[in-house]
Amino acid sequence: MLTLPIEYYLTLSAVIFIIGIIGVLTRRNAIIIFMCIELMLNSVNLTLVAFSQHMGDMAGQIMVLLVMTVAAAEAAVGLAIVLALFRNKQTVYVDEVNVLKW
């Protein structure tokens, strides 16, 4: 079985995380920002699995399953918030929404 060095996984995870950060900081669409946050979360999951495989311990992979379960619930809540925002404001652009401002 071909095993890749852990550096490859960590590099890929860092690239995915940076793409997520750039997406969050540069985009104004709430759905795209939400997807970029999920991208960052999955890059962290990749790091956990890589270290788990490297250390030979299954605890990291079990933790990733827990994180994925919580992330699925978080995605449902996040999409419901975006949907409610769209119904109330007719937009999903965060610049045009000032609900939380004084």
Side-chain angles (χ1 to χ4, degrees):
M1 182 173 157
L2 178 67
T3 59
L4 294 175
I6 192 169
E7 291 85 12
Y8 291 170
Y9 294 110
L10 296 179
T11 302
L12 177 64
S13 176
V15 168
I16 292 172
F17 194 83
I18 289 171
I19 290 171
I21 287 176
I22 290 171
V24 167
L25 294 177
T26 60
R27 303 303 294 255
R28 299 295 99 200
N29 189 326
I31 294 174
I32 293 176
I33 292 172
F34 188 68
M35 289 171 42
C36 289
I37 290 171
E38 291 292 324
L39 198 62
M40 290 190 297
L41 179 66
N42 284 326
S43 72
V44 172
N45 283 340
L46 178 62
T47 302
L48 278 174
V49 169
F51 274 117
S52 173
Q53 180 68 27
H54 181 71
M55 304 292 272
D57 188 12
M58 293 294 291
Q61 295 177 17
I62 294 171
M63 184 69 174
V64 166
L65 288 176
L66 177 68
V67 168
M68 289 174 66
T69 304
V70 172
E74 172 253 333
V77 171
L79 288 176
I81 291 172
V82 171
L83 183 62
L85 178 72
F86 181 74
R87 285 185 179 167
N88 288 332
K89 299 292 181 182
Q90 300 298 318
T91 185
V92 290
Y93 289 97
V94 293
D95 290 340
E96 299 174 8
V97 177
N98 56 4
V99 174
L100 297 179
K101 292 181 182 175
W102 289 90

